[in-house]
Structure formats: structure tokens, C-alpha cells
Amino acid sequence: MPVLLPIYPPMVDIPQHAAQISAIKSILVEGDWPFSHMFVLKPFTPYWLGYGLVLLISLVTEVVWAIKLAVAAAVFLFVWSAARFCTRMGTDPAWNWMLLILPFGFAYQWGFLNFLVAAPFGFLFLCRLLDMNGRSDWRACMRIALWLHFLFFAHVLTTAFFCAIGMLLMANPWRGFREWFRRCLPIFTILPLAGLWLWVSLNNSPEASGPTEWSVGAHRLTSLLPSLVSSPPSSSWSGQLIGLFVLIVPFLSGATPKRSWLAWSPFALYVAWMLFFPNWLGGTAFVYQRFGIFGLPLYLICFEGRRGAPLLSHAATLRVGLMTMALAVLSWQSLRAISFNSEVTQYREVIAYAEPGKRMLMLAFDPVSKTAAGAQMVHFGSWYQAEHGGLTEFNFARNWVQPLQYRDGADSAIRQGFEWFPGTFDWDAHHGSLYDYFLVRHPADASQWLDEESKGAVREVARRGEWQLYGRK
């Protein structure tokens, strides 16, 4: 319901992903995109599972519903796969209620489509690895290798994370280094493909070898509990309380911590990842934050039930409490999604005045939504490209991991970072004459400013609330 109720999903990057998919569809299926000469399709990228899924759904429905159906399926599958993994590891089935609150965390709010689609397959990969149970026959190894290569083309960082978790799971029980190495051999089959992709990327995309920003500090400690329960930063106090509650749930259930340090190693790796993994890596922002949704299942598997079952009344009370918490969080997410529609309605009224198939520049002076956490409006103009077949900039085709990228020498001066500083727009430097429309989101009237920048070359087309549309005279 939180995914399907809003007109557009309240997710920051989703409009850009929808625009990419719409353009790829126009090039591969329809062959009529007027801007195709500016772009090149690079198939060797680990982003095809999410894009391919939406592309297939969009063959029978519009791209907005294709996106929503794909995200809803990913959310549903994540809860099921995480519960399946926890059950496989022997956790209390009542704890699975807590998993319902996880999918709507940082990665969801920022609209990391491919990460969300890949996340559930990470837990399914771990289940398959556990089912192998140390077998070394070639059929079992081949199945693990196929799973890993499938996961690689979903999301490379997700693959790396779950490979590391899988290697730790294979170490328990410990029977010596040689036995552990033998168990991990199927995981190593992904190294040739990953190495080739990394080599190609570093040699052909300068952004891939860009600076790394660590941003390590005390703030990571304070955000650890909210991240564990997918609580948004704007309500960190409630995130701290809910996070503390889920930490003590195993103890309330009568479970006891496992004594082996190897049993705790997957959760320890998660904590280290959240505390020390880079914030900015290879031109990609918010890297470590998105992995918060994986922590709770890895924590729950550190416990085993006690020999004597807890009192029936105690168990029933705890189950009701977990159900109430999960449904309350889901209800809040649904209400937030519904309230987001009021801001979206104004955008739809304005964009209806724009002709399809044109070129548009988005200037989000006020990118923050009043009803959703995050800068939901910074890329919102990309819905025009997704729905009306034009080209909206700034465009994710500037990112080196995208399947569709600008050709060298493409006539565009809008670079990565411009979307956060629209006030730097310069008519001559940014080739303002290339654009048919300028979509502005600003609480004040931008007519005079844009008229001065363009030297009188644009006129107001429509305005509703903060949304303003300008076109060339």
C-alpha cells in the first residue's frame, strides 16, 4: 500500500530511473526517441535486473505503474526472503513481524531502484548457500555460481556484501582453514567477472576512479539503531526507541545469545560496514546508508531458543506487540504516501501544458517535500521524460554505472552536481537555448530572474503553487 497508493512513489531517484528505462525502451523497442543520437547504450553494467524488470512490465502498462509494481514486488519479496533466511537459521517465527518495517528505509526514500530489487535475492542466495551445506560436487558449485552472476547483474555492491556474509556463514562451524576455503570456492567464481567489470570501468570511466569520501564520525553511532529499523533521520528519536525495542525482543522471547563468536560474525560485519564503509564511492553517494535494511535479520540469527518454551501469555503478548508495531509503521508510511499526492497534483497540472517529446531543464530551488523525508523533488522533472518521451536534465546518463550514457561530445553542459545548485544556471555557459522548457520549483516567482538570465528569451507557461513552467518565446 505505501508503494501503490501515491500517484508517483515518494522516492528521490526514481524519476531518473524511470527516465532511463523509458529512453532505453524507446531505443530498443520503439526506435523513435528524437534524442537517441546523443547517447550510447553500454550493456556491461550491473544494473539490468531492476531496469529489465520494469522494462518488461512497461510493455503492458505505463512506466509509472511499471515502476510501482516492480518496487512493490521487491518490497514484498524482501520481507519473504529475509523471513525465509531467518527461519532457515532457526529463529522464532514471531520475530518475522519485525521484518515488515524494513523495506521503507533509506534506500526506499532515496529511490535506489536496483538496490531494492537486488536486496531480496541476497537473502535467497544465502539460503541456497546454506542448503549446499559444504557439498563440493560440481552441480552444487554451479548453482551457487549462477546465483552470484545473477546477483552481480542486479547490484554489484549487494553482491560484494552478501559474498562476505556468505563466507562468514561457511566458517561456522570452524573445521580449519582448508575446509573453510573449500566451502567458499563457489563464491570465488564471481571474481573473474567482477574483476573484468572493474578493469573496464576504471579504464573507460574517469568517474569510477574518483575520490572516496569516508565521512566517518560519531554520527554513524547515533544513526545505527534508526538504520537497523529503517527509521528516517527526521524522526531519529522514535528510531532509537524502536531500534532499542527490537534489540531486546529476543531476550523477551526467552532466547539466548549463541556462544560462538562465529555466529555473531555476520552481524559484526554489518556493524563494521555501517560504521566504516565509505559514504561516497566511485561517483556514487550514500553508499553505506542503504545497507541498513540488512542488519536486523543478521542480528536475529545470533540467538537460539531456550530449551523451555516461554509462558503462553507472555508469547502471545509479545506477538501482539510486534504485530501492532509493524502495522503502525506501515500505516504511517501509507499516510505519508497519500499526503505526498497533494504536491504531485500541482506538478501534474503544470506539466500538462508542456508538449511531449521536448527538451526540459529542471531547476529545483526547493527540492524538499513537505510530506516526505528527503529531497523528493530534486529529480522530479524526469517524470516528464519518462511519461512524455522528451529529455530532462540533469540526467542520470552522466553517471558511469548507468546503461544509457551521453556520447562524447554530446551537446549538453549540465554536469553532475548542477541539480543541487540551480542558482548557478547561466544561459550561455549552460546552453540555455537548447531547451524548450524550464521547470522551476520555487516558493517565489522566478519569472524576473529567468527573464534576466535568458535576456528575455523565455515566457511563463503555467504555475501552480511552487511549480512553475517556462518556455522559449
Side-chain angles (χ1 to χ4, degrees):
M1 288 182 66
V3 182
L4 300 180
L5 283 174
I7 300 172
Y8 298 103
M11 306 163 75
V12 178
D13 287 353
I14 279 294
Q16 289 278 9
H17 293 305
Q20 274 266 323
I21 295 166
S22 179
I24 294 172
K25 179 183 176 183
S26 297
I27 293 173
L28 295 180
V29 181
E30 300 164 357
D32 60 351
W33 193 39
F35 301 98
S36 58
H37 64 281
M38 296 175 55
F39 298 87
V40 60
L41 193 60
K42 296 187 176 182
F44 189 32
T45 179
Y47 255 27
W48 281 113
L49 180 60
Y51 278 14
L53 177 62
V54 177
L55 184 59
L56 288 175
I57 300 175
S58 70
L59 296 177
V60 295
T61 185
E62 60 183 12
V63 68
V64 178
W65 267 102
I67 284 277
K68 292 202 291 186
L69 290 173
V71 172
V75 165
F76 186 91
L77 186 60
F78 176 84
V79 177
W80 175 79
S81 63
R84 188 168 185 262
F85 169 70
C86 290
T87 302
R88 176 65 178 76
M89 295 293 291
T91 64
D92 188 338
W95 300 349
N96 291 342
W97 281 101
M98 295 186 288
L99 305 179
L100 283 170
I101 68 178
L102 296 183
F104 304 100
F106 192 93
Y108 179 85
Q109 295 158 22
W110 279 87
F112 300 147
L113 172 66
N114 296 286
F115 181 86
L116 290 171
V117 173
F121 293 101
F123 283 115
L124 293 179
F125 160 72
L126 293 182
C127 291
R128 175 60 66 181
L129 194 63
L130 291 168
D131 291 340
M132 190 179 72
N133 196 25
R135 290 165 53 194
S136 57
D137 60 277
W138 68 271
R139 290 186 180 87
C141 292
M142 183 62 68
R143 284 193 289 267
I144 297 300
L146 290 175
W147 260 107
L148 277 176
H149 284 72
F150 171 80
L151 195 58
F152 174 86
F153 283 104
H155 199 277
V156 65
L157 281 177
T158 303
T159 307
F161 179 83
F162 279 101
C163 280
I165 296 295
M167 292 175 68
L168 293 175
L169 290 176
M170 290 296 96
N172 192 20
W174 183 253
R175 295 172 181 170
F177 178 82
R178 178 176 296 183
E179 175 64 17
W180 172 76
F181 185 82
R182 185 188 65 80
R183 291 182 176 187
C184 294
L185 280 177
I187 299 177
F188 300 148
T189 59
I190 195 62
L191 293 179
L193 179 65
L196 176 62
W197 171 77
L198 189 60
W199 180 83
V200 170
S201 300
L202 292 174
N203 284 276
N204 294 278
S205 302
E207 299 88 351
S209 55
T212 299
E213 178 193 330
W214 295 93
S215 187
V216 175
H219 64 281
R220 295 209 187 190
L221 279 173
T222 57
S223 64
L224 200 56
L225 283 181
S227 297
L228 191 68
V229 293
S230 296
S231 178
S234 59
S235 56
S236 59
W237 65 270
S238 60
Q240 300 287 354
L241 292 177
I242 298 175
L244 184 61
F245 173 69
V246 301
L247 287 182
I248 64 174
V249 163
F251 298 96
L252 295 176
S253 302
T256 56
K258 294 179 180 178
R259 295 182 178 181
S260 170
W261 66 271
L262 284 172
W264 283 81
S265 61
F267 181 68
L269 174 63
Y270 162 81
V271 173
W273 188 286
M274 297 299 293
L275 291 179
F276 303 110
F277 204 74
N279 174 62
W280 182 284
L281 181 65
T284 301
F286 304 129
V287 176
Y288 78 89
Q289 293 94 328
R290 65 188 72 188
F291 286 85
I293 61 173
F294 299 136
L296 184 56
L298 297 178
Y299 172 74
L300 296 179
I301 67 173
C302 297
F303 294 85
E304 55 188 357
R306 67 178 187 177
R307 295 178 179 177
L311 296 176
L312 182 61
S313 59
H314 172 75
T317 301
L318 182 61
R319 184 183 293 270
V320 170
L322 295 178
M323 292 169 58
T324 302
M325 178 194 69
L327 295 177
V329 172
L330 288 177
S331 299
W332 178 81
Q333 293 285 0
S334 300
L335 291 173
R336 186 173 71 94
I338 294 173
S339 61
F340 185 68
N341 285 340
S342 60
E343 295 175 287
V344 168
T345 300
Q346 294 177 344
Y347 160 80
R348 288 168 65 89
E349 292 174 352
V350 166
I351 211 67
Y353 289 88
E355 297 180 22
K358 301 297 183 180
R359 192 168 180 176
M360 179 180 291
L361 181 64
M362 175 73 189
L363 300 168
F365 290 91
D366 183 13
V368 179
S369 166
K370 296 179 177 62
T371 59
Q376 259 69 15
M377 303 302 180
V378 69
H379 299 304
F380 214 79
S382 294
W383 283 120
Y384 170 79
Q385 176 177 330
E387 295 183 286
H388 303 290
L391 172 63
T392 304
E393 297 178 275
F394 164 74
N395 198 286
F396 266 15
R398 289 290 179 197
N399 299 344
W400 65 277
V401 293
Q402 297 294 138
L404 192 67
Q405 299 179 27
Y406 282 100
R407 292 183 183 273
D408 293 337
D411 197 3
S412 174
I414 305 300
R415 305 287 175 175
Q416 189 176 29
F418 172 84
E419 67 274 25
W420 298 104
F421 303 99
T424 62
F425 173 67
D426 182 272
W427 184 265
D428 296 323
H430 294 110
H431 304 170
S433 59
L434 293 174
Y435 299 95
D436 302 292
Y437 293 106
F438 299 86
L439 182 62
V440 178
R441 190 172 193 268
H442 198 294
D445 184 2
S447 302
Q448 182 177 352
W449 172 79
L450 199 53
D451 184 71
E452 294 174 355
E453 284 292 331
S454 66
K455 303 175 179 64
V458 301
R459 61 180 177 86
E460 182 181 302
V461 177
R463 186 193 310 173
R464 297 290 188 277
E466 294 190 14
W467 292 103
Q468 306 166 45
L469 180 67
Y470 299 87
R472 286 190 304 177
K473 291 183 179 177

